[in-house]
Amino acid sequence: MNKSLTFIENNHKKEKPKTKEIPFGRTFTDHMFLMDYEEGKGWHEPRIAPYEPLTLDPAAMIFHYGQTVFEGLKAYRTDDDRILLFRPEKNFERLNQSSDRLSIPPIDEDEVMGYLKELLKVEKDWVPSFEGTSLYIRPFIIATEPNLAVSPSKRYTFMIILSPVGPYFSGGIHPVTINVEEKFTRAVKGGTGMAKTAGNYSSGYQAQAKASQTGNNDVLWLDGIEKRYIEEVGSMNIFFKIDGEVVTPALSGSILRGITRTSILEVLNEWDIPVTERRITIEEVYQAYEDGKLEEAFGTGTAAVISPVGTFNWNGKQIVINNHDIGPLSQKLYDTITGIQRGRKEDTYNWTVEV
Amino acid sequence: MNKSLTFIENNHKKEKPKTKEIPFGRTFTDHMFLMDYEEGKGWHEPRIAPYEPLTLDPAAMIFHYGQTVFEGLKAYRTDDDRILLFRPEKNFERLNQSSDRLSIPPIDEDEVMGYLKELLKVEKDWVPSFEGTSLYIRPFIIATEPNLAVSPSKRYTFMIILSPVGPYFSGGIHPVTINVEEKFTRAVKGGTGMAKTAGNYSSGYQAQAKASQTGNNDVLWLDGIEKRYIEEVGSMNIFFKIDGEVVTPALSGSILRGITRTSILEVLNEWDIPVTERRITIEEVYQAYEDGKLEEAFGTGTAAVISPVGTFNWNGKQIVINNHDIGPLSQKLYDTITGIQRGRKEDTYNWTVEV
């Protein structure tokens, strides 16, 4: 471990969740990781400290110009009580890609991986053991310089906070209903759509509210230019199985580079199931549905892993998939990925990292 | 004044700037305004309090999903020592428009105007009197609920901070050099381009850096769809004078509704100078330049008021305007607007509000 890491223990430990019914993202562990950046000095003062409020100047640039990036991953407790991470190096790689787009200085990925492991060792009892639960890990960087000039900050703080979370779906996965958004745009080429940065998320709240008011669980985003090409669903990537072939939108510059997405592409290749990354329009999906060739559709992401789609509502039309049942490929992918994540299936891909 | 406003005096007053050389956005006054929002309770606890650091949970939604809006306006000290605001009601109107896009609850515009005036009365000695200086006013709202779920916050804080600022251009206005950005995109229809929200600003840093590395002062943004239609320059609106007619891009949904922009449209109408809001391509501007019909170009915004453009660098070509001198219309508009703002010209439009 990096010798410079300091540890300030929290002497007021909180109570840990006693059931698997843990609401997402509201319970935090006793400690967090922090590290500061200053121009000329670089990243410095890595420390594990009590989870407590931050003190920031009201002019801190994060509040005004949104210079910030984040990541999301999970730690899982195996049946034999080991703690596993799923491809965490991919998260820190993507964090640096996001930072590049937002003009934030890069972190040393290996060093930060070491700090994360130390934090998880301190908080290991917070990784829940109930079925379907995990410890959600949120690394993020915020611009902290107090300055109202519209230019990159000279100071940043990198943090990792941890939150025990319940199962995404209670009682196993079940298909969701998705509204195809025609008015609002999530991202466009040349913008920040490929980066995990704060502004990409709140900009979707209006579309999300409209979708849920009409009985949908989530939103399918189309491209910002022609409003035809499928991009992603909510904050997940999307896959379709059409006539035996799996299709997912190619990374166009406005689509998030999902780590679950990449993993599924690799698994499908391994299984010799034809899979293509390409542009795909909503009309093509509708046509496949009309022709009886749309076999499955599912979103992929860290939160749900695989989220099968039962219905797309598009412009007054309904696309009902597989009679609103979970498709066999969706189920098999879900079982495979979650099995590897939780140490119940052999990790032939070498994806898991033990803490 | 609203009876519920409380005042906590700062007993440690800071020293005020002694010259007009005040760097933008780094000096703050002794007090700030704050007001909180909670679901079910609405906006409450308006207060003027010492300018001091904020205390926020590391999971506060502002840090993760960018739910935030802001405004910018200025208070000017007149030669006879009055303090004037320029169309401040427009700022609070636009703040609510931005909030609507970001799913933030609206403020009561009249009430908040009252609070701003009270704050300015407390801080009146901070409005500088040196030539070209002013007190920059930054109202903003941030989402404060600690919650990692991707959904609107149930808690917010509205704040107003104040910062004395020097002249935007030292020694009067002078023309700037602008790079026409071809790769990066600021905003697209259906996105958040019309809102003053944090994420719109840091997303421009890469283009800004590229522009300044090649000797430009700022960036001209083109539309995100065809990359031909002119949107805005840096964080200003843009105007062209072509063959006697003034043209500015129409508000398309991705362009900021500038208050200086609106005011200039009204002044030009009053002066019977032909002015059109419409779509305009960079090719058309280049053609006008080649034909010798591009008479002037200028950006408009709160910071600079009028910022004449001397050169556009576009794809290896140079568009040099008015021999890099300030055009007569740019100068007259600058003198008129700043004259009204500073109480040196009669305010026939009823735009200024005395504190």
Side-chain angles (χ1 to χ4, degrees), chain A residues 2 54 65 84 118 160 172 201 205 210 226 276 303 307:
Chain A
N2 192 303
L54 302 176
Y65 306 127
L84 296 183
E118 289 301 311
I160 304 175
Y201 293 81
Y205 290 168
K210 193 174 65 173
E226 296 180 55
T276 320
S307 180

Side-chain angles (χ1 to χ4, degrees), chain A residues 51 54 56-57 65 202 206, chain B residues 51 54 56-57 65 100 202:
Chain A
Y51 184 94
L54 302 176
L56 283 172
D57 195 285
Y65 306 127
S202 50
Q206 281 202 322
Chain B
Y51 185 94
L54 302 177
L56 282 172
D57 194 285
Y65 306 127
D100 180 60
S202 50

